[in-house]
Amino acid sequence: MSILSLILALLLEQLRPISSRNPLYLGFIRTANGMGRNLNAGEYRNGVYAWLLAVVPLVVITAGGYWFLLRYNVFLAIAWDVLILYFTMGFRQFSHAFTKISKALQADDLNTARSMLGDWTGQSTSELNEDEVARLTIEQGVIDSYRYVFGTIFWFVALAWIAGPAGAVAYRAACLLQQKWGGHGDVFGRFADGVMDILDFIPIRLAAISFAVVGNFEDAVYCWRSQAQQWMDQDYGILLASAAGALGVRLGEALHQDHTVKYRPELGVGESANPDYLASAVALVWRAAILWLAVILLFSISQWVA
């Protein structure tokens, strides 16, 4: 049932993509912002209480809805799975900006590509050259593909037998809370950071392995082992190093930002990133996603046979 729900959700999302600025996301983000203002008293436990208050009701409602519908009709439960996955997972939620930037670079419209990349990543992009825009676009695309596709799929499948699509909801909510509260050195957001470290530990490595399998395996493994630990965030270093090695392209490296040169570790081997590699990056993500679906299908078949 999980594989059917995943396939239907992906098809629905391709036919009618949903924006990351949809009312459900915006409502949750406004709630998170309000909690951050009103519940942050400068103590670690405040962050714990706020996180639980934001996530647990969503998980309970999602799991409860699944089991309620499953009691009456399995197809209603599948429809519930598909609906939840439609709002929590999808290529279009990250590939929309990726595709626009790629088209702008192909049309030699560097200023438009810089502007769209800045809106997407929240970084200063006005001084980037063409190769730097391509490099940063690939990096953000790989990270977002993990957040919106691989991480969500993993936690949906891991908890589907006991909580329906609640795993996907919990992971997506945890990602948003970490983006809003974590990563700033504030004690309030430390719990949100810690939760994401736990949730990402297994799926981010599985995603890296899948990039290696569907790309250049030897280079992906070499880059993972020799370069990932040098990246600022080691988990994302694993993901980006494996993707760069699988593509045969160099990521990381220096960026011209804020009137200076920001030096970053080198990831990958081969040629420096350029606009021609953007299509290859999208194809790599698609091949990895198909691999995941194939593995889940084989696992489901083995369960049915058993």
Side-chain angles (χ1 to χ4, degrees):
M1 192 162 67
S2 297
I3 184 63
L4 178 60
S5 300
L6 285 169
I7 292 173
L8 290 175
L10 284 171
L11 289 175
L12 178 61
E13 197 266 342
Q14 290 298 310
L15 293 173
R16 191 176 180 82
I18 186 170
S19 170
S20 59
R21 298 182 180 274
N22 66 78
L24 289 179
Y25 271 54
L26 293 178
F28 184 80
I29 290 172
R30 283 194 292 268
T31 300
N33 288 336
M35 286 182 171
R37 289 191 302 269
N38 299 321
L39 300 180
N40 186 357
E43 296 184 16
Y44 177 79
R45 63 179 181 179
N46 301 135
V48 176
Y49 297 152
W51 194 95
L52 294 174
L53 186 61
V55 176
V56 171
L58 294 178
V59 171
V60 171
I61 291 171
T62 304
Y66 171 79
W67 285 110
F68 175 80
L69 293 173
L70 187 62
R71 288 181 58 190
Y72 291 96
N73 191 298
V74 66
F75 294 106
L76 290 177
I78 292 175
W80 180 248
D81 278 352
V82 172
L83 179 65
I84 298 300
L85 287 171
Y86 177 63
F87 280 101
T88 56
M89 179 192 70
F91 281 88
R92 294 295 187 91
Q93 294 194 34
F94 78 90
S95 65
H96 183 67
F98 196 97
T99 302
K100 284 189 172 183
I101 294 170
S102 178
K103 289 181 178 178
L105 290 176
Q106 290 171 1
D108 294 323
D109 189 354
L110 180 57
N111 287 332
T112 298
R114 286 169 171 168
S115 177
M116 290 187 293
L117 179 60
D119 291 340
W120 184 19
T121 64
Q123 298 188 39
S124 172
T125 58
S126 60
E127 302 164 58
L128 300 180
N129 61 38
E130 185 179 69
D131 287 355
E132 289 171 341
V133 169
R135 198 188 316 148
L136 206 55
T137 299
I138 293 173
E139 291 171 11
Q140 191 67 39
V142 170
I143 290 173
D144 277 9
S145 72
Y146 169 74
R147 289 173 177 166
Y148 286 102
V149 181
F150 300 107
T152 305
I153 288 177
F154 176 86
W155 284 108
F156 165 68
V157 173
L159 299 181
W161 66 279
I162 192 171
V169 170
Y171 183 79
R172 173 61 42 230
C175 283
L176 293 173
L177 292 179
Q178 193 272 336
Q179 291 172 24
K180 289 298 176 182
W181 298 346
H184 310 299
D186 186 355
V187 67
F188 181 78
R190 196 177 298 165
F191 181 76
D193 285 332
V195 170
M196 284 309 301
D197 287 342
I198 295 171
L199 294 180
D200 281 340
F201 186 83
I202 295 176
I204 213 166
R205 286 159 176 79
L206 292 178
I209 291 170
S210 65
F211 289 153
V213 170
V214 301
N216 186 320
F217 185 85
E218 290 185 4
D219 285 350
V221 172
Y222 167 78
C223 294
W224 178 348
R225 295 180 61 184
S226 63
Q227 298 174 336
Q229 66 273 15
Q230 302 171 20
W231 198 249
M232 294 74 74
D233 183 317
Q234 188 170 342
D235 280 346
Y236 283 146
I238 291 171
L239 192 69
L240 292 174
S242 176
L247 286 169
V249 67
R250 295 203 312 273
L251 302 177
E253 301 185 322
L255 294 176
H256 291 83
Q257 291 180 321
D258 301 322
H259 308 293
T260 187
V261 178
K262 295 185 176 180
Y263 293 97
R264 307 181 304 161
E266 180 181 298
L267 298 175
V269 294
E271 299 180 8
S272 179
N274 60 61
D276 295 336
Y277 280 99
L278 297 181
S280 299
V282 173
L284 179 75
V285 172
W286 267 110
R287 292 197 302 271
I290 292 172
L291 175 64
W292 277 47
L293 292 178
V295 171
I296 295 170
L297 176 61
L298 291 175
F299 181 73
S300 300
I301 291 174
S302 67
Q303 283 189 315
W304 294 336
V305 171

